[in-house]
């Protein structure tokens, strides 16, 4: 053996004992006729002493040592005269009698200490040196102890650890798969698992009612602060259980880990909160409740001020920072710049200082009276000396609704393009004629502006023209059985539809902008735009086609019914957007 003890093992009770140690040179201190070397291994640090009076050759050899040299020494344990209370081995030192240099080292590119002077890129380049740092080593040791206790707890609860395959068939999940080409099957690929989902379900069907695995998962997606291409998760599955059983089981796992790894004993049940409450109070679905400063919603207290930052934002929230009213303007400006970053997404940050004397200083004092601002402070339970920080922007819930609505619009647009290009009457003809084609145009104009609305309207009109060119009979059928006998009338109808739908997009977009400029509430503005678009569509398109091209047929048709359908469909179409903004 190269050593009889480790560098973190010896104590004052070992004084007088002869020992052999091996490890890395952490630092050297030359003090005249004596040289002190800190020897490090995974277990700790022990001080070595080389004395020129005792052995001058050994002393000279010690002076030639450098940082990260790997050495072996033999010596006698003695009590230190100047003890170091910060080290477990701080009461002793080794008087060295033999020195063997096992491996020399170049000067490392950064210091091997907790507070290193190496940046992330440098430490990753020399990862083997970074792993020698105590902070990194302790993380790996903690992970080892956690994995051991996880297995011990779950084994005691009847779980089986099953290792599932890594090279698998691709299955649809939340991200893209990493793929591995097969040498034996050219042109075919394996996928790396995003999770063992399919396999653990197979195990449940097979009767293995409690399964777990500490498993590697692979997801080919953009990097985030909490996501990397490969990661490890505790993967579990249970059969014949309810939600409460699962919660109790894994609450017990967390308590077990803290008790046996950190010696922290949780006796009370963990508090629980719904996802909605977590987002409302903390803005995160995994909140650190130690933070304390819960969000306070102020939207209803800030409306109608004429301050566009809050008037146009669907969400206005605040936190109260206790005792921070003394923040300087420079500190507040840095916070403002921080929340404007794309990763945060806020439109801006306002602040209110509630001074110790009860006075109020605010960045938005010219828009809100002190009495109004006091209502904000009261809602946030602020006390004199506190600082209120107010954010405005889009809530996560609204963003999720907007995404679903846009996807729905895209699908609806695709359906209408198919109808236009094929002329297939998959829905009742009055709805096709009077309503459905204008709805995506209105929605596009509201969400993207009048130019986008005009382009979208023109797209539908051009699709109609294409249909007229390829199969005028089908196009005529889509407009009216009457026009099937008049192909020239159908072509003219298409030109009318093209112009009218472009006009619908422009009218809807500009009407929306006008209503917002006069500060009409979204919930009121959207139905107005929807009704206006429906009337424009019904009046211009149907009126032009029936009255200009077929007046005798218009008299026989219930054009009024077409108008009513246009109104109803316009309101229904915009209600989804209204619901999203209201949420």
């Amino acid at each position: 053996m190269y050593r009889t003890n480790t560098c973190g093992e010896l104590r004052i009770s070992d004084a007088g004992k002869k020992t052999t140690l091996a490890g890395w040179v952490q630092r050297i201190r030359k003090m005249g006729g004596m040289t002190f070397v800190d020897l490090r291994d995974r277990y700790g640090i022990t001080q070595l002493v080389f004395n020129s009076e005792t052995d001058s050759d050994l002393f000279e050899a010690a002076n030639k040592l450098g940082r990260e040299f790997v050495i072996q020494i033999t010596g006698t344990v003695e009590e230190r005269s100047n003890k170091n209370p910060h080290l477990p081995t701080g009461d002793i030192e080794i008087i060295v009698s033999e020195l063997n240099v096992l491996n020399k080292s170049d000067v490392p590119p950064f210091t091997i200490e907790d507070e290193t002077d190496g940046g992330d890129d440098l430490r990753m380049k020399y990862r083997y040196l970074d792993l020698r740092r105590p902070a990194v080593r302790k993380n790996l040791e903690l992970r080892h102890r956690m994995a051991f206790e996880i297995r011990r707890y779950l084994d005691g609860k009847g779980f089986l650890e099953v290792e599932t395959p890594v090279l698998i068939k691709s299955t649809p999940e939340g991200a893209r798969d990493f793929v591995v080409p097969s040498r034996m099957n050219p042109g075919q690929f394996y996928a790396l698992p995003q999770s063992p989902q399919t396999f653990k379900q197979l195990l449940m069907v097979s009767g293995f009612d409690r399964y777990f695995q500490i498993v590697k998962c692979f997801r080919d997606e953009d990097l985030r602060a909490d996501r990397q291409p490969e990661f490890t998760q505790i993967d579990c599955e249970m059969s014949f259980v309810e939600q409460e059983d699962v919660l109790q089981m894994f609450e017990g796992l967390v308590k077990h880990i803290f008790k046996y790894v950190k010696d922290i004993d949780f006796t009370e049940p963990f508090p629980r909160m719904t996802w909605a409450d977590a987002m409302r109070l903390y803005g995160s679905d995994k909140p650190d409740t130690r933070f304390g400063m819960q969000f306070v919603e102020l939207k209803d207290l800030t409306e109608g001020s004429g301050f566009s930052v809050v008037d146009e934002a669907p969400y206005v929230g605040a936190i109260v920072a206790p005792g921070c009213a003394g923040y300087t303007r420079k500190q507040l400006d840095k916070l403002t710049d921080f929340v404007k970053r794309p990763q945060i997404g806020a439109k801006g940050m306002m602040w209110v200082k509630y001074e110790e004397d009860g006075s109020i200083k605010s960045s938005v004092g010219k828009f809100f009276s002190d009495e109004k601002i006091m209502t904000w402070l009261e809602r946030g339970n602020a006390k004199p000396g506190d600082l209120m920080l107010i954010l405005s922007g889009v809530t996560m819930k609204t963003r999720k609704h907007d995404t679903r609505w846009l996807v729905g619009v895209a699908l609806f647009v695709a359906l209408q393009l198919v109808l236009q290009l094929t002329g297939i009457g998959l829905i009742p003809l009055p709805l096709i004629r009077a309503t459905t084609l204008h709805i995506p145009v209105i929605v596009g104009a509201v969400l993207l502006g009048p130019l986008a609305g005009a382009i979208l309207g023109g797209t539908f009109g051009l699709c109609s023209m294409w249909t007229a060119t390829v199969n005028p009979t089908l196009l005529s059928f889509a407009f009216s059985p009457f026009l099937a006998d008049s192909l020239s009338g159908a072509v003219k109808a298409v030109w009318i539809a093209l112009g009218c739908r472009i006009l619908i997009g422009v009218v809807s977009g500009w009407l929306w902008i006008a209503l917002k400029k006069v500060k009409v509430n979204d919930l009121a503005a959207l139905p107005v735009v929807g009704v206006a678009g429906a009337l424009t569509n019904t009046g211009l398109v149907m009126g032009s086609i029936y009255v200009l091209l077929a007046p005798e047929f218009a008299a026989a048709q219930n054009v009024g019914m077409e108008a009513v359908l246009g109104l109803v469909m316009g309101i229904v179409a915009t209600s989804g957007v209204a619901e999203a903004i209201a949420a």
Side-chain angles (χ1 to χ4, degrees):
M1 292 288 289
Y2 273 80
R3 62 188 180 190
T4 58
N5 298 97
T6 68
C7 293
E9 182 180 354
L10 298 170
R11 299 292 186 269
I12 189 67
S13 59
D14 296 306
K17 176 181 176 181
K18 188 171 183 178
T19 184
T20 300
L21 303 180
W24 288 261
V25 173
Q26 176 74 14
R27 63 178 64 88
I28 302 173
R29 301 185 303 280
K30 298 177 181 179
M31 312 288 290
M34 300 184 71
T35 296
F36 298 92
V37 175
D38 287 344
L39 188 65
R40 183 196 74 242
D41 65 9
R42 167 187 151 190
Y43 305 95
I45 292 177
T46 296
Q47 177 173 283
L48 312 179
V49 180
F50 297 86
N51 194 326
S52 61
E53 295 180 358
T54 304
D55 191 329
S56 59
D57 293 338
L58 191 64
F59 175 76
E60 290 299 325
N63 285 338
K64 296 178 182 179
L65 297 175
R67 284 192 298 153
E68 298 307 304
F69 275 40
V70 184
I71 64 174
Q72 179 192 42
I73 64 94
T74 299
T76 304
V77 180
E78 289 192 2
E79 182 177 0
R80 287 176 64 166
S81 58
N82 186 15
K83 296 181 173 58
N84 185 349
H86 302 294
L87 288 177
T89 60
D91 291 341
I92 60 97
E93 59 190 9
I94 309 296
I95 307 300
V96 180
S97 56
E98 296 180 27
L99 170 64
N100 181 21
V101 178
L102 301 176
N103 195 17
K104 295 182 179 181
S105 172
D106 293 336
V107 177
F110 55 87
T111 56
I112 314 298
E113 297 177 356
D114 284 346
E115 299 298 328
T116 182
D117 54 0
D120 289 345
D121 291 342
L122 186 61
R123 289 188 292 107
M124 291 303 103
K125 180 179 179 179
Y126 298 97
R127 184 61 169 167
Y128 62 94
L129 295 178
D130 189 45
L131 289 172
R132 297 179 187 176
R133 294 171 52 228
V136 181
R137 186 195 73 243
K138 289 176 182 176
N139 288 340
L140 291 175
E141 291 173 349
L142 174 63
R143 189 181 188 280
H144 161 75
R145 292 198 301 272
M146 287 180 61
F148 180 83
E149 292 301 334
I150 288 166
R151 289 186 167 96
R152 188 159 74 93
Y153 174 84
L154 293 175
D155 177 67
K157 296 296 183 180
F159 283 78
L160 291 177
E161 183 173 13
V162 180
E163 185 175 325
T164 56
V166 174
L167 295 176
I168 66 171
K169 176 183 177 181
S170 179
T171 58
E173 294 194 38
R176 290 179 294 273
D177 290 326
F178 282 107
V179 293
V180 180
S182 172
R183 178 185 60 82
M184 298 177 64
N185 301 282
Q188 298 187 19
F189 298 83
Y190 297 103
L192 301 181
Q194 296 183 37
S195 72
Q197 186 67 34
T198 303
F199 296 107
K200 66 183 180 183
Q201 290 174 347
L202 185 150
L203 288 170
M204 294 303 105
V205 174
S206 302
F208 296 87
D209 62 333
R210 294 192 173 193
Y211 142 88
F212 87 97
Q213 183 182 185
I214 302 176
V215 61
K216 283 285 185 184
C217 299
F218 307 87
R219 296 181 183 176
D220 185 9
E221 58 184 354
D222 295 338
L223 299 180
R224 305 196 301 267
D226 58 350
R227 177 69 73 204
Q228 55 188 12
E230 79 173 63
F231 59 94
T232 304
Q233 69 182 30
I234 305 170
D235 194 65
C236 300
E237 193 72 26
M238 301 169 68
S239 294
F240 308 118
V241 291
E242 297 177 340
Q243 175 178 304
E244 186 62 27
D245 300 319
V246 177
L247 293 174
Q248 290 288 348
M249 178 67 69
F250 293 101
E251 179 178 316
L253 172 61
V254 175
K255 290 179 177 179
H256 177 89
I257 292 172
F258 272 93
K259 179 176 176 61
Y260 290 98
V261 175
K262 301 295 291 182
D263 197 25
I264 299 174
D265 195 3
F266 289 105
T267 56
E268 299 296 324
F270 286 178
R272 298 180 185 177
M273 69 177 71
T274 64
W275 180 89
D277 285 342
M279 298 305 301
R280 177 176 60 85
L281 296 175
Y282 297 97
S284 170
D285 59 357
K286 47 183 183 299
D288 185 343
T289 55
R290 297 172 300 177
F291 182 66
M293 291 178 278
Q294 297 180 352
F295 290 176
V296 181
E297 295 185 10
L298 301 177
K299 177 63 178 176
D300 59 317
L301 300 180
T302 60
E303 290 181 328
S305 64
F307 187 36
S308 60
V309 171
V310 294
D311 284 349
E312 296 178 4
Y315 177 81
V316 180
I319 59 173
V320 176
C324 294
Y327 268 34
T328 65
R329 184 58 183 268
K330 183 177 180 180
Q331 289 174 301
L332 294 170
D333 287 344
K334 285 184 178 180
L335 290 175
T336 303
D337 292 338
F338 174 79
V339 302
K340 284 183 177 180
R341 291 166 41 192
Q343 296 91 333
I344 308 298
K347 291 186 176 181
M349 187 188 78
M350 300 162 283
W351 50 266
V352 176
K353 292 183 178 181
Y354 194 7
E355 302 288 3
E356 293 286 358
D357 59 4
S359 62
I360 295 174
K361 293 182 181 179
S362 174
S363 60
V364 291
K366 64 180 180 180
F367 297 102
F368 301 95
S369 65
D370 285 355
E371 292 76 14
K372 188 69 172 178
I373 293 175
M374 182 57 72
T375 62
W376 306 350
L377 297 171
E378 290 173 352
R379 179 169 291 186
N381 296 320
K383 298 177 176 59
D386 291 349
L387 172 68
M388 174 174 276
L389 302 174
I390 305 158
L391 300 180
S392 62
V394 182
T395 64
M396 179 178 289
K397 190 171 183 181
T398 302
R399 285 198 299 268
K400 290 174 75 73
H401 275 271
D402 284 347
T403 301
R404 290 200 301 268
W405 176 246
L406 288 171
V407 171
V409 169
L411 293 174
F412 188 73
V413 168
L415 172 63
Q416 296 311 313
L417 290 175
V418 171
L419 289 173
Q420 284 279 67
L421 290 170
T422 63
I424 299 174
L426 297 180
I427 55 180
L429 287 179
L431 296 183
I432 292 179
R433 292 199 303 265
T435 60
T436 56
L437 294 178
H438 79 278
I439 295 172
V441 180
I442 297 174
V443 174
V446 167
L447 294 176
L448 304 175
L451 178 60
I455 294 173
L456 196 54
T459 301
F460 285 111
L462 291 172
C463 288
S464 297
M465 296 180 68
W466 170 259
T467 308
T469 303
V470 175
N471 195 332
T473 304
L474 286 178
L475 174 69
S476 304
F477 173 78
F479 275 103
S480 165
F482 174 81
L483 292 177
D485 298 328
S486 174
L487 296 184
S488 62
V491 175
K492 292 178 182 178
V494 171
W495 279 102
I496 294 172
L498 173 60
C500 290
R501 298 202 195 289
I502 293 175
L503 185 60
I504 290 170
V506 176
V507 168
S508 300
W510 281 114
L511 180 58
W512 173 260
I513 292 174
L515 290 172
K516 296 311 296 176
K517 281 186 176 179
V518 296
K519 302 191 183 304
V520 175
N521 185 275
D522 290 344
L523 296 179
L526 283 165
V528 170
V529 175
V531 170
L535 289 174
T536 303
N537 181 74
T538 302
L540 292 177
V541 179
M542 302 314 303
S544 300
I545 292 175
Y546 283 137
V547 177
L548 297 179
L549 299 181
E552 68 281 3
F553 185 75
Q557 291 290 313
N558 188 354
V559 179
M561 186 61 178
E562 302 280 1
V564 172
L565 286 172
L567 281 171
V568 172
M569 292 298 290
I571 294 173
V572 170
T574 53
S575 66
V577 182
E579 184 269 342
I581 291 180

